Amino acid sequence: MAASETSESARAAERLGPTTKTPERWKRHIVRQLNHRDRSQKLMFQDVIGSYIRLLEKSQQRAQITQGLLGSVMRPDMTKATSADSLDIMITRHEHLVTDLKKTTGELAYQVIELQKKIQIRDSVLEEQHARMFELKSRLGVVESDWSDLQCRVEEVQEGNSVLKQEYDTLLEQHRDMDETFRREKVQGSELLEDIIKGKELAAAQMNNKNEKRVRAREATLKKELETAVKRKVNIDVGFGNLMPTKAAAEKGEFREKTDRRPTRSIRSASVTSPRILDSIKELFEIRKRGSSVSSVEEDLYLPAGVCVVARVPARALHILDAHELGINAVKFSPNSKLLATGGTDRVIKLWDVRAGRLISRGTLEGSNGGITSIEFDPTGTKILAASYDKSALFWKLDECAPKFTLTGHSRKVTAAKFKCSLRHVVTGSADRTVKLWDLQRAACTRTIDVLSYCSDLVCSEYFVVSGHFDKKIRFWDSRSSSCTKEETLLGKVTSLDMSPDHRQLLSCVRDECLQVIDLRMSNARSSFRADGFKCGSDSSKAIFSPDGNYVAAGSADGAVYIWNVNSGNLETCLPGMHCSSIDAVSWSLSGEFFVSVDKSRRAVLWSDI
């Protein structure tokens, strides 16, 4: 009611407002506040007002009913008894109605009290909301001030970014200019290097031509002198006793000079050219003994360690050990068969003495920055050449732990490194599809041969290099001219190559699960060696000839060693049970007595027929 009266007074004030001549501002303000209060609080009291109106309506209705009942009681046509009874009944009913009205009034009063409580609760909630709104407004002011500060900082950062962007663009332009300059200089450097290499190759070719001309001229002169000497009579008291053919050299058609020179008598001859003939013959023998290479005194005095007459087929394991911390990739016996070298992915080469059927640690060669892929002893057994995953080949002396020098120049891992016959030159093959020739005296690359495929292994002679590749081809190269003279196509990737002791046969291990032997005298003649269970374990699996050339051996992916007879083509033996993983490499001692196999689980096994 108060709210409705307030709203009516406010509306009356608004109606009267325009009629006044000079309305005051405070009155209008009061009217606006009253209207606002009416609008804001009307909803909260709407239930109370409705309940109150319904209560009034019920009260009026009941009053009317009561008046009607009383009027009917007071009618004159009713008898006294009937009126008394009906009066009692009406009084009773009226009392019941009054009681019901009282109950209803109490309930309505209770509802009014509950509604008042709800109004108080809503007022408290509204006050809390007003307090929260005030707090939020204050926080909003703080946030707005922070936002303005951040906007200022964003503008500053954007300005700094624009400055940095300009500097970056300037540096990028400078970098492009410098990169272009670097590329031009690199191209010029490569062209200059190619010119230098071509000049050196031309000089080497000229020197070789001169040497060949000199040798041919000397041979022609010697031939003429010999023809002249044959035509003339010569009296010789003592013959060529100081020139004795050795048994090994006689088989090759060569002679060597005796080391124990005996006193000889002078040669009486009617020809003045006789001493020159003897000197020429001596020089010719020396040239034939050394070949066309220029060797040191140590190499001239070097004699082979020996030749294996019959290789023993291994039958049982003498010694089993974990030779490295990681897998083993390469193994090789020294020429004297008393020393073994193993190389693994743990970046070291370990040396082992073979004593009484056991492998006894002798030392470690360090210096490689990657795993070892192949090992090669020089014929003297005092030097080791190894290929590595760190794109280089390393050269050690056995009495030194650190490498004497490192041959770098490949762009990917070096898969094979081998000595040439002169012992002063090395050949390396790499996954970068190149074969390089090196001069050990200068530790420099003298020639690079570009190949069309990944080089997995190679073997070499004095003038030729044979390489095996992943494109299923074996290529023969003339190392003097870097030209490919012949290609042999196989049925799978070539993983390794090995040359027979007499240099007449070439063994290749192929990923089509077989070994192939090519007769170098008749390239069309091939022999394949297969066996049930034999499987090439990896792209670097090695197969070898026995020292006498009668057998070929290789390790399988199932951890067994397979040995075939070259002459019959049959499987000679299979040695299972000692390896628990794929065998990567095998080696046969030059004496033919011992055989070693290594696998990827760092195990090395020494075999023999005893």
Side-chain angles (χ1 to χ4, degrees):
M1 292 293 291
S4 62
E5 292 175 357
T6 303
S7 62
E8 291 176 359
S9 64
R11 285 193 292 273
E14 288 178 355
R15 288 193 300 270
L16 294 174
T19 60
T20 59
K21 295 181 180 180
T22 57
E24 298 179 1
R25 297 177 61 184
W26 63 273
K27 290 182 179 181
R28 291 196 302 272
H29 180 69
I30 290 173
V31 171
R32 285 193 298 270
Q33 292 293 327
L34 290 174
N35 289 331
H36 177 70
R37 182 178 179 184
D38 181 47
R39 287 191 298 271
S40 61
Q41 296 184 358
K42 183 177 180 180
L43 295 175
M44 293 186 295
F45 296 99
Q46 192 71 30
D47 297 336
V48 178
I49 294 170
S51 300
Y52 183 72
I53 292 171
R54 288 193 296 273
L55 181 59
L56 288 176
E57 290 176 354
K58 289 181 179 180
S59 298
Q60 291 175 1
Q61 185 179 6
R62 287 175 182 175
Q64 291 176 0
I65 293 169
T66 303
Q67 289 177 2
L69 291 174
L70 291 175
S72 63
V73 172
M74 298 304 295
R75 289 176 185 174
D77 56 346
M78 291 183 179
T79 62
K80 294 181 180 180
T82 304
S83 61
D85 294 336
S86 61
L87 182 61
D88 292 335
I89 292 171
M90 294 303 292
I91 290 171
T92 305
R93 291 180 178 177
H94 181 70
E95 289 177 354
H96 286 298
L97 290 173
V98 170
T99 304
D100 293 337
L101 290 174
K102 287 182 180 180
K103 289 181 179 179
T104 304
T105 304
E107 291 176 357
L108 293 174
Y110 181 73
Q111 290 179 1
V112 169
I113 293 170
E114 287 183 348
L115 291 173
Q116 287 178 353
K117 288 182 179 180
K118 289 181 179 179
I119 290 170
Q120 292 177 358
I121 293 171
R122 291 185 178 182
D123 288 338
S124 62
V125 171
L126 185 62
E127 290 177 358
E128 291 179 359
Q129 289 179 351
H130 280 299
R132 289 182 62 188
M133 185 180 297
F134 179 76
E135 183 181 357
L136 291 173
K137 285 182 178 179
S138 61
R139 291 177 62 185
L140 180 61
V142 175
V143 171
E144 287 179 349
S145 62
D146 294 340
W147 180 80
S148 60
D149 295 338
L150 290 174
Q151 285 291 108
C152 296
R153 291 184 60 187
V154 166
E155 292 176 357
E156 293 176 357
V157 171
Q158 288 178 351
E159 293 177 357
N161 287 341
S162 62
V163 175
L164 291 174
K165 180 67 167 52
Q166 294 176 358
E167 294 178 355
Y168 171 76
D169 293 338
T170 304
L171 292 174
L172 184 61
E173 190 66 26
Q174 293 178 0
H175 171 71
R176 289 175 181 173
D177 296 338
M178 294 177 68
D179 187 55
E180 187 66 25
T181 304
F182 170 73
R183 290 181 179 177
R184 289 197 301 269
E185 294 294 335
K186 187 176 181 180
V187 171
Q188 293 178 1
S190 62
E191 291 177 354
L192 181 60
L193 182 61
E194 289 178 358
D195 293 339
I196 293 173
I197 292 174
K198 288 180 180 178
K200 290 185 177 180
E201 291 178 353
L202 182 60
Q206 292 176 356
M207 182 63 68
N208 290 334
N209 291 332
K210 289 181 181 179
N211 291 335
E212 290 178 359
K213 289 180 181 179
R214 188 180 297 110
V215 171
R216 286 197 295 268
R218 186 177 299 172
E219 290 178 352
T221 303
L222 178 60
K223 184 177 180 181
K224 291 180 181 179
E225 291 177 351
L226 289 175
E227 290 176 354
T228 305
V230 167
K231 294 177 182 179
R232 297 183 181 182
K233 294 181 179 181
V234 179
N235 296 323
I236 300 175
D237 294 338
V238 180
F240 293 96
N242 59 336
L243 299 177
M244 296 294 292
T246 61
K247 182 178 180 180
E251 295 177 356
K252 298 181 181 180
E254 298 179 357
F255 292 86
R256 66 180 180 85
E257 189 176 359
K258 278 190 174 182
T259 56
D260 51 343
R261 295 180 178 271
R262 298 179 181 178
T264 59
R265 294 172 57 184
S266 60
I267 300 175
R268 295 190 300 271
S269 173
S271 173
V272 294
T273 61
S274 296
R276 292 177 58 190
I277 293 175
L278 295 179
D279 294 337
S280 300
I281 293 173
K282 181 178 179 182
E283 291 177 0
L284 180 60
F285 289 153
E286 289 178 353
I287 292 172
R288 289 182 177 177
K289 181 177 67 174
R290 294 193 303 262
S292 62
S293 63
V294 180
S295 60
S296 63
V297 177
E298 179 183 357
E299 293 167 356
D300 288 339
L301 296 179
Y302 167 73
L303 294 176
V307 177
C308 175
V309 179
V310 178
R312 301 179 183 178
V313 178
R316 71 182 187 90
L318 298 180
H319 190 201
I320 303 172
L321 77 161
D322 291 337
H324 285 255
E325 296 179 358
L326 298 174
I328 307 174
N329 303 325
V331 61
K332 193 71 174 181
F333 271 103
S334 66
N336 61 8
S337 304
K338 297 180 180 179
L339 183 65
L340 180 73
T342 57
T345 54
D346 55 359
R347 305 180 181 183
V348 298
I349 294 177
K350 292 191 175 183
L351 303 177
W352 309 86
D353 284 327
V354 182
R355 298 178 187 173
R358 297 184 63 83
L359 298 177
I360 301 173
S361 178
R362 177 173 173 177
T364 302
L365 303 179
E366 301 177 349
S368 175
N369 295 321
I372 304 299
T373 58
S374 74
I375 298 175
E376 182 80 4
F377 277 96
D378 74 325
T380 64
T382 59
K383 302 177 184 67
I384 285 183
L385 180 67
S388 173
Y389 274 93
D390 65 356
K391 309 174 187 178
S392 66
L394 299 94
F395 182 80
W396 284 273
K397 288 186 176 181
L398 292 184
D399 54 353
E400 299 176 359
C401 295
K404 185 177 180 181
F405 51 78
T406 303
L407 306 177
T408 58
H410 286 286
S411 59
R412 294 182 64 185
K413 68 176 181 179
V414 180
T415 55
K418 300 295 177 67
F419 285 102
K420 290 192 71 177
C421 294
S422 64
L423 306 184
R424 290 188 176 182
H425 296 85
V426 169
V427 182
T428 58
S430 170
D432 63 1
R433 302 181 180 182
T434 61
V435 174
K436 291 182 179 290
L437 283 71
W438 306 82
D439 187 346
L440 292 183
Q441 286 184 329
R442 297 180 296 161
C445 178
T446 58
R447 183 171 289 117
T448 299
I449 303 174
D450 293 323
V451 196
L452 300 177
S453 178
Y454 181 112
C455 178
S456 58
D457 199 6
L458 54 86
V459 293
C460 53
S461 62
E462 188 171 1
Y463 295 117
F464 285 92
V465 176
V466 184
S467 57
H469 302 274
F470 276 12
D471 62 354
K472 307 178 183 179
K473 290 184 179 181
I474 299 175
R475 292 178 171 87
F476 296 80
W477 306 87
D478 188 340
S479 60
R480 295 169 295 182
S481 60
S482 301
S483 60
C484 183
T485 60
K486 186 171 60 174
E487 288 184 356
E488 294 286 342
T489 303
L490 305 181
L491 299 178
K493 293 180 181 179
V494 181
T495 65
S496 73
L497 297 175
D498 192 32
M499 193 82 73
S500 64
D502 58 3
H503 287 204
R504 294 180 179 179
Q505 293 178 318
L506 180 67
L507 171 66
S508 60
C509 182
V510 189
R511 285 308 298 265
D512 64 347
E513 323 307 344
C514 79
L515 306 182
Q516 285 200 359
V517 174
I518 301 174
D519 193 331
L520 298 179
R521 297 169 297 179
M522 297 178 292
S523 59
N524 294 328
R526 299 184 183 181
S527 301
S528 297
F529 299 91
R530 300 177 182 271
D532 294 336
F534 175 75
K535 185 177 180 180
C536 186
S538 68
D539 290 340
S540 59
S541 295
K542 300 295 189 293
I544 60 170
F545 272 106
S546 63
D548 59 357
N550 292 328
Y551 304 97
V552 292
S556 175
D558 60 359
V561 178
Y562 290 80
I563 299 176
W564 290 268
N565 190 304
V566 175
N567 299 320
S568 64
N570 299 325
L571 180 66
E572 189 73 20
T573 185
C574 177
L575 306 174
M578 296 301 169
H579 291 277
C580 56
S581 63
S582 175
I583 297 176
D584 267 358
V586 293
S587 181
W588 216 316
S589 64
L590 189 60
S591 63
E593 182 180 0
F594 298 106
F595 183 90
V596 171
S597 56
V598 295
D599 61 24
K600 290 185 177 180
S601 62
R602 67 185 181 179
R603 177 172 293 183
V605 180
L606 178 65
W607 306 82
S608 183
D609 64 335
I610 301 174

